[in-house]
Amino acid sequence: MKTFTFIYDPEATPKNTLALMKKAIKTGMPYIEKNQLRSPSLKALISLATENRLEIFKKILNDKPSSIYELAQSLGKDLSYVSKEVRVLESTGIIALKKAEHLGRDKIQPVALYDRIVFDFDMALKKAANHF
Amino acid sequence: MKAILLFSINRVFDGKKGESFRLFMDLYKVPSASSDVFDLTLYKLSWIFFNSEEPDRRVLMDNHKPIGLHLHINQGPQIPVTAMTIEEAKKIFVENIKKHFDFDLEV
């Protein structure tokens, strides 16, 4: 099972992110966040991982549509809307858009790269607990 | 020798006007000076900052062969830039994000 995690991390500010890079360069010690998307803003995380987008992701994972058109058809939604949402899912890194041939025609096939999506708020809770 | 991944992050931040922005940064250390580096700093980078809802609105910086260090603004052509150190490259990236998105990566 391959898992992608959306992580709420109040420390993951832009400034701290650049500081982490500087430290990695200075020390030579790798700092690598893989299979995750981290944010200091719960609002930003939620606005990205909307219910509709997760529903589209689930459809891609389970039904393996051969094209965005087929995906839009199975969702009963407008093609331009689904195309836009699929592009956002791709930029998030949880799906890939692969060029595929179907019945002799070139198509773009959305492919799920993960089979489990997790929301992790543990770090925030630990930090909040430290204040008490 | 193969480049070694030194730094890799995937982030989302709030913008000032209710929008959100994504940041991907990959930085590789290149073990040999004879490798495909853009300067003497021995790093290979791929950095991108974009609007979450419109991924084509972006500032992209990388230094792949044979072009060397360059930017792409939105879907525009390659814009060659000059930096002798990774710090200078970062400064150019940060400045362009400020200019095109009114977002400050240093706060």
Side-chain angles (χ1 to χ4, degrees):
Chain A
M1 184 173 278
K2 199 168 178 195
T3 303
F4 187 91
T5 309
F6 287 87
I7 302 174
Y8 171 51
D9 176 2
E11 300 294 315
T13 62
K15 189 179 179 180
N16 285 349
T17 301
L18 294 183
L20 283 171
M21 185 173 74
K22 195 171 181 177
K23 189 177 172 187
I25 293 166
K26 191 177 174 185
T27 63
M29 294 288 288
Y31 180 87
I32 297 162
E33 295 175 358
K34 281 289 173 199
N35 307 314
Q36 62 175 257
L37 191 153
R38 199 174 278 257
S39 180
S41 162
L42 197 52
K43 181 172 151 264
L45 276 182
I46 290 168
S47 71
L48 191 61
T50 63
E51 199 174 338
N52 282 346
R53 284 177 187 152
L54 294 176
E55 198 57 42
I56 292 171
F57 173 79
K58 194 172 151 190
K59 201 79 178 167
I60 294 168
L61 175 67
N62 292 334
D63 294 1
K64 300 178 177 51
S66 66
S67 66
I68 297 172
Y69 175 77
E70 190 180 306
L71 174 65
Q73 292 264 300
S74 68
L75 288 163
K77 292 188 173 166
D78 178 67
L79 178 61
S80 64
Y81 165 77
V82 174
S83 297
K84 182 182 175 294
E85 296 297 84
V86 160
R87 182 84 176 87
V88 173
L89 288 173
E90 184 203 21
S91 73
T92 303
I94 61 174
I95 69 160
L97 295 177
K98 295 190 174 172
K99 281 185 184 169
E101 198 186 297
H102 184 69
L103 302 174
R105 295 174 65 183
D106 288 338
K107 296 195 172 183
I108 302 291
Q109 183 181 19
V111 178
L113 298 176
Y114 297 86
D115 48 17
R116 188 160 184 256
I117 302 289
V118 170
F119 289 84
D120 181 351
F121 305 128
D122 275 1
M123 294 181 67
L125 292 172
K126 278 175 201 159
K127 284 183 177 105
N130 289 338
H131 290 295
F132 294 101
Chain B
M1 286 174 76
K2 204 178 166 189
I4 298 159
L5 186 60
L6 181 64
F7 182 76
S8 180
I9 56 95
N10 179 8
R11 300 279 164 95
V12 58
F13 303 120
D14 279 327
K16 289 177 187 169
K17 297 170 188 166
E19 74 279 64
S20 70
F21 295 112
R22 301 283 311 286
L23 176 69
F24 280 112
M25 296 181 94
D26 277 352
L27 182 69
Y28 293 84
K29 186 84 190 278
V30 180
S32 163
S34 62
S35 300
D36 55 344
V37 292
F38 71 93
D39 60 26
L40 298 176
T41 59
L42 302 175
Y43 292 99
K44 188 168 176 161
L45 62 88
S46 177
W47 299 341
I48 180 166
F49 184 93
F50 58 94
N51 184 303
S52 297
E53 299 298 317
E54 299 172 75
D56 289 344
R57 288 195 55 222
R58 63 183 186 165
V59 171
L60 184 152
M61 178 181 259
D62 67 33
N63 63 330
H64 60 74
K65 253 184 169 180
I67 305 150
L69 189 66
H70 64 278
L71 287 167
H72 289 274
I73 306 300
N74 302 327
Q75 294 300 297
Q78 292 153 355
I79 304 166
V81 290
T82 305
M84 296 311 294
T85 66
I86 202 75
E87 270 298 313
E88 286 175 19
K90 187 189 84 181
K91 193 177 168 203
I92 294 167
F93 185 62
V94 167
E95 283 171 357
N96 273 275
I97 291 167
K98 258 184 210 162
K99 181 179 167 187
H100 295 282
F101 292 98
D102 190 24
F103 187 92
D104 191 350
L105 271 186
E106 295 185 310
V107 293

